[in-house]
């Protein structure tokens, strides 16, 4: 019997044939309207869902999918998936941890270099007919702090240490003694010890506003902040205030609280570089994430352990 996968994502269509090649029937529903319609029409047949962290899957949707057995999340974050509802139903949840780490790490470094070296401002000046040679700080041999030393954080650290001779410090839920990097017990301690601070931790309630006004003050007027994780990890109001008053030197942002809406206050600041949540978007990452979904589904439906399980709360 063919397994039926409800596909809620909209960014990996070129690689969905990987699923079809393995015999999975796909129902594409990339908008909220088509999603509701698909669940109403096909809910009795769907036994797997493919989604992203911001798109999630809600308890009432799970309730309308009586055969649902597994939810596969593309990317590391799963903040809008109702894990409690999944746990209560005995539904397995997997994520894409590590599949797009190289792409996200590349993007983090690109944001950092663009921001610190003033690339957008220099480009805009030339297009206006100007020739202003900006005197911007060097990136080499600086101190880099990483919040979240998972697959993405480790990939960033490797690029920074090996390519730019940076010293690496980090804050994580637990120290990583398997790495040569310096552990800081708090985010504020980390911010105070570095020149550049990169946020690479998952979103969700546990990390909400982990970077707040005191952390930004600890980073200081010569410090730069990069966020390629989730907008919720940073207190956006505090960030805007710190940028506007030059309490930090600048910020590079790929993620925002209410995507695709971006606060107008950020758009008016000259010390911000922004991209539209594209850090994990590359052909290599898309293929890798879909292949991981394929591998997880094949493992699950053959009775084997899934490769990247998400830890679920205790059923209630």
């Amino acid at each position: 019997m063919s397994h039926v996968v409800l596909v809620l994502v909209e960014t990996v269509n070129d690689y969905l044939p990987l699923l079809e090649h393995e015999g999975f029937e796909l129902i594409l529903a990339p908008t909220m309207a088509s999603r509701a319609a698909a669940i109403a029409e096909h809910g009795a047949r769907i036994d797997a869902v493919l989604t992203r962290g911001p798109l999630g899957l809600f308890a009432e949707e799970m309730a309308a999918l009586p055969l649902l057995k597994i939810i596969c999340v593309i990317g590391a974050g799963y903040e809008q998936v109702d894990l409690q509802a999944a746990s209560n139903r005995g539904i397995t949840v997997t994520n894409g941890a590590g599949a797009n780490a190289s792409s996200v790490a590349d993007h983090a470094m690109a944001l950092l270099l663009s921001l610190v070296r003033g690339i957008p401002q220099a480009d805009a000046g030339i297009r206006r007919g100007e020739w202003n040679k900006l005197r911007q700080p060097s990136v080499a041999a600086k101190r880099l702090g990483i919040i979240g030393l998972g697959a993405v954080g480790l990939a960033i650290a490797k690029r920074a240490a090996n390519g730019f001779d940076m010293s690496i410090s980090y804050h994580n839920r637990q120290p990583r003694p398997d790495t040569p990097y310096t552990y800081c017990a708090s985010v504020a301690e980390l911010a105070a010890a570095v020149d550049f601070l990169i946020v690479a931790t998952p979103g969700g309630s546990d990390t909400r506003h982990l970077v707040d006004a005191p952390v930004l003050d600890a980073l200081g007027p010569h410090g730069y902040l990069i966020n390629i994780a989730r907008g919720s990890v940073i207190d956006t109001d505090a960030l805007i205030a710190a940028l506007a008053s030059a309490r930090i030197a600048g910020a590079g942002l790929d993620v925002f609280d209410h995507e695709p809406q971006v606060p107008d206050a950020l758009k008016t600041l000259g010390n911000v570089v922004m991209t539209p949540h594209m850090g994990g978007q590359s052909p290599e990452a898309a293929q890798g994430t879909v292949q991981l979904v394929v591998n997880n589904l094949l493992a699950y439906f053959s009775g084997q352990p899934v490769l990247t399980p998400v830890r679920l709360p205790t059923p209630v």
Side-chain angles (χ1 to χ4, degrees):
M1 183 182 70
S2 175
H3 295 287
V4 181
V5 183
L6 176 64
V7 179
L8 305 181
V9 299
E10 73 289 358
T11 57
V12 295
N13 286 1
D14 290 346
Y15 301 96
L16 292 180
L18 292 170
L19 284 159
E20 294 173 316
H21 179 72
E22 297 294 342
F24 293 102
E25 177 186 346
L26 306 184
I27 298 173
L28 306 186
T31 67
M32 292 305 294
S34 62
R35 172 173 172 165
I39 291 174
E41 182 177 354
H42 303 287
R45 300 193 303 121
I46 293 167
D47 51 6
V49 171
L50 174 56
T51 188
R52 290 193 298 116
L55 297 174
L57 193 69
F58 311 122
E60 59 270 21
E61 294 174 317
M62 295 183 206
L65 303 172
L67 297 184
L68 182 62
K69 300 178 180 67
I70 181 170
I71 302 166
C72 295
V73 184
I74 283 183
Y78 42 83
E79 62 272 19
Q80 293 300 323
V81 176
D82 193 324
L83 298 183
Q84 187 64 64
S87 177
N88 294 347
R89 280 270 306 276
I91 297 168
T92 296
V93 180
T94 68
N95 71 349
N100 64 358
S102 289
S103 178
V104 177
D106 287 350
H107 199 74
M109 295 304 297
L111 279 175
L112 180 63
L113 289 165
S114 295
L115 177 68
V116 176
R117 294 297 299 164
I119 302 300
Q121 295 89 337
D123 177 83
I126 287 179
R127 293 174 190 274
R128 292 191 300 264
E130 301 168 357
W131 194 254
N132 298 322
K133 295 185 178 182
L134 304 175
R135 183 169 295 175
Q136 296 292 119
S138 173
V139 171
K142 293 294 175 61
R143 303 168 301 169
L144 177 68
I146 302 172
I147 304 175
L149 204 64
V152 171
L154 286 170
I156 293 168
K158 180 179 178 180
R159 286 156 172 74
N162 296 342
F164 293 91
D165 296 321
M166 294 189 200
S167 62
I168 310 296
S169 302
Y170 70 97
H171 174 75
N172 208 46
R173 282 178 294 182
Q174 300 292 333
R176 294 286 305 262
D178 56 324
T179 73
Y181 310 128
T182 302
Y183 174 73
C184 292
S186 71
V187 175
E189 177 187 338
L190 177 64
V194 300
D195 304 297
F196 312 138
L197 182 63
I198 298 182
V199 182
T201 189
S205 58
D206 290 345
T207 59
R208 178 174 172 77
H209 289 184
L210 197 61
V211 176
D212 55 12
V215 169
L216 296 170
D217 286 338
L219 183 59
H222 301 293
Y224 294 85
L225 175 70
I226 305 293
N227 189 7
I228 42 77
R230 287 294 185 265
S232 60
V233 182
I234 296 177
D235 182 336
T236 301
D237 290 340
L239 174 61
I240 291 170
L243 289 165
S245 60
R247 296 196 337 267
I248 67 171
L253 307 174
D254 186 49
V255 290
F256 305 89
D257 285 319
H258 305 293
E259 298 174 0
Q261 284 76 39
V262 175
D264 289 337
L266 284 173
K267 298 175 185 178
T268 64
L269 292 168
N271 53 352
V272 182
V273 175
M274 297 179 286
T275 52
H277 201 156
M278 56 184 279
Q281 301 299 312
S282 71
E284 298 85 354
Q287 181 172 357
T289 55
V290 175
Q291 187 61 57
L292 181 56
V293 169
V294 171
N295 295 344
N296 273 317
L297 289 174
L298 291 175
Y300 180 85
F301 287 116
S302 64
Q304 301 300 312
V306 295
L307 283 71
T308 52
V310 171
R311 183 177 179 182
L312 300 180
T314 303
V316 295

